[in-house]
Amino acid sequence: MRILVVEDEPKVARFLERGLRQQAHAVDLAFDGEDGLRLAFENDYDVVVLDVMLPGRDGFSVLTELRTAQKAVRVLMLTARDEVGDRVRGLDLGADDYLVKPFDFDEFLARIRALIRRAASEGQTTLRCADLELDPRTRQVRRGGKPVQLTAKPYAILDLLLRRQGQVVSRTEISEHVWDQRFDPMGNVIDVTVHQLRDKVDKGFEPRLIHTVRGVGYVLRAGEQA
Ligand code: CA
């Protein structure tokens, strides 16, 4: 999953970034509200972690902008004080959940997992192409009815290709969804990861599902024709 952390305290931001990366999430950081808003509009995040107290534009203002623009991203607000007023205001403005600082990191991760699960269970059922299946709720993948074990990055690429099946997904889109801003889409990491994915879901099966579109990216479809 791709997560944006908007937090002006560098120590806290880096701490959250490190922890989320260990859970195999792609993480971008913004240290003020303006930058957070810009990133949230530029990229597709699964969750935005939004501190309320930010220099300049505060978390409430960022949230208001996101919701006014109909951005459907999940938002977890971080409030500095345990003030009922702040929590109510955040929830009224469209936050999905909140956490009061200082918080326990395990609880933070649990809230993130809950938001991701909630997003997955709303309107998302099993993704299918031919005899390949991916269940976003359980993260189980099957080909021809047999379970396929995938590590985090190949899984995330497959999820993206399945949601966009029949369409060419560019290397840049893959890098943005599966890695994060500091990732260089020109390197060969994407190719290596797609190779691992093919090894698991295509090798020894008919028809072949993952196709390379030279110079552009990849497309997932059951037939050879575009
Ligand atoms: Ca702050």
Side-chain angles (χ1 to χ4, degrees), residues 11-92:
K11 259 189 176 169
V12 179
R14 299 280 174 216
F15 174 69
L16 296 180
E17 178 189 34
R18 224 175 16 250
L20 288 169
R21 287 215 167 130
Q22 278 167 8
Q23 305 289 312
H25 297 300
V27 185
D28 292 330
L29 293 182
F31 297 100
D32 62 59
E34 283 299 338
D35 207 34
L37 203 53
R38 181 182 60 78
L39 284 171
F41 278 112
E42 276 177 15
N43 305 304
D44 259 335
Y45 293 101
D46 298 288
V47 177
V48 174
V49 177
L50 183 58
D51 190 27
V52 169
M53 305 285 278
L54 293 168
R57 187 189 276 277
D58 72 6
F60 293 129
S61 162
V62 171
L63 180 61
T64 305
E65 286 280 322
L66 287 177
R67 292 310 185 218
T68 305
Q70 309 274 314
K71 262 283 187 188
V73 66
R74 302 272 150 186
V75 175
L76 172 64
M77 300 219 65
L78 305 179
T79 66
R81 302 145 297 172
D82 189 8
E83 285 193 3
V84 177
D86 277 7
R87 279 182 272 157
V88 171
R89 189 167 166 211
L91 295 171
D92 275 349

Side-chain angles (χ1 to χ4, degrees), residues 137-152:
R137 291 156 302 186
T138 59
R139 296 179 70 88
Q140 277 185 342
V141 177
R142 289 169 174 272
R143 178 86 203 246
K146 293 203 180 86
V148 174
Q149 302 298 331
L150 294 177
T151 52

Side-chain angles (χ1 to χ4, degrees), residues 2-226:
R2 193 173 186 197
I3 298 174
L4 172 64
V5 175
V6 189
E7 163 65 81
D8 59 311
E9 290 161 65
K11 259 189 176 169
V12 179
R14 299 280 174 216
F15 174 69
L16 296 180
E17 178 189 34
R18 224 175 16 250
L20 288 169
R21 287 215 167 130
Q22 278 167 8
Q23 305 289 312
H25 297 300
V27 185
D28 292 330
L29 293 182
F31 297 100
D32 62 59
E34 283 299 338
D35 207 34
L37 203 53
R38 181 182 60 78
L39 284 171
F41 278 112
E42 276 177 15
N43 305 304
D44 259 335
Y45 293 101
D46 298 288
V47 177
V48 174
V49 177
L50 183 58
D51 190 27
V52 169
M53 305 285 278
L54 293 168
R57 187 189 276 277
D58 72 6
F60 293 129
S61 162
V62 171
L63 180 61
T64 305
E65 286 280 322
L66 287 177
R67 292 310 185 218
T68 305
Q70 309 274 314
K71 262 283 187 188
V73 66
R74 302 272 150 186
V75 175
L76 172 64
M77 300 219 65
L78 305 179
T79 66
R81 302 145 297 172
D82 189 8
E83 285 193 3
V84 177
D86 277 7
R87 279 182 272 157
V88 171
R89 189 167 166 211
L91 295 171
D92 275 349
L93 291 173
D96 296 282
D97 202 357
Y98 65 89
L99 206 49
V100 177
K101 285 178 170 179
F103 50 81
D104 178 70
F105 190 66
D106 287 336
E107 184 176 6
F108 170 76
L109 287 181
R111 299 293 181 97
I112 295 281
R113 278 198 300 275
L115 287 182
I116 290 170
R117 261 202 313 273
R118 224 199 288 171
S121 64
E122 279 170 18
Q124 284 183 22
T125 49
T126 303
L127 305 168
R128 284 192 179 84
C129 181
D131 60 348
L132 174 69
E133 298 176 347
L134 179 150
D135 186 339
R137 291 156 302 186
T138 59
R139 296 179 70 88
Q140 277 185 342
V141 177
R142 289 169 174 272
R143 178 86 203 246
K146 293 203 180 86
V148 174
Q149 302 298 331
L150 294 177
T151 52
K153 298 298 188 195
Y155 174 88
I157 292 179
L158 182 62
D159 181 279
L160 179 62
L161 291 175
L162 270 166
R163 286 174 203 282
R164 303 269 301 276
Q165 61 182 283
Q167 300 168 30
V168 179
V169 181
S170 72
R171 302 168 60 81
T172 307
E173 288 171 280
I174 292 174
S175 77
E176 284 175 359
H177 279 268
V178 179
W179 282 272
D180 49 45
Q181 287 219 314
R182 276 173 275 177
F183 183 77
D184 171 17
M186 295 306 135
N188 70 349
V189 178
I190 294 179
D191 302 306
V192 171
T193 312
V194 171
H195 181 84
Q196 292 170 351
L197 175 62
R198 279 180 160 147
D199 237 30
K200 299 280 189 156
V201 303
D202 260 354
K203 204 173 166 187
F205 292 101
E206 284 294 334
R208 215 155 54 80
L209 297 178
I210 301 169
H211 307 267
T212 303
V213 182
R214 204 166 265 205
V216 185
Y218 299 93
V219 60
L220 187 141
R221 60 169 180 258
E224 294 295 323
Q225 296 304 307

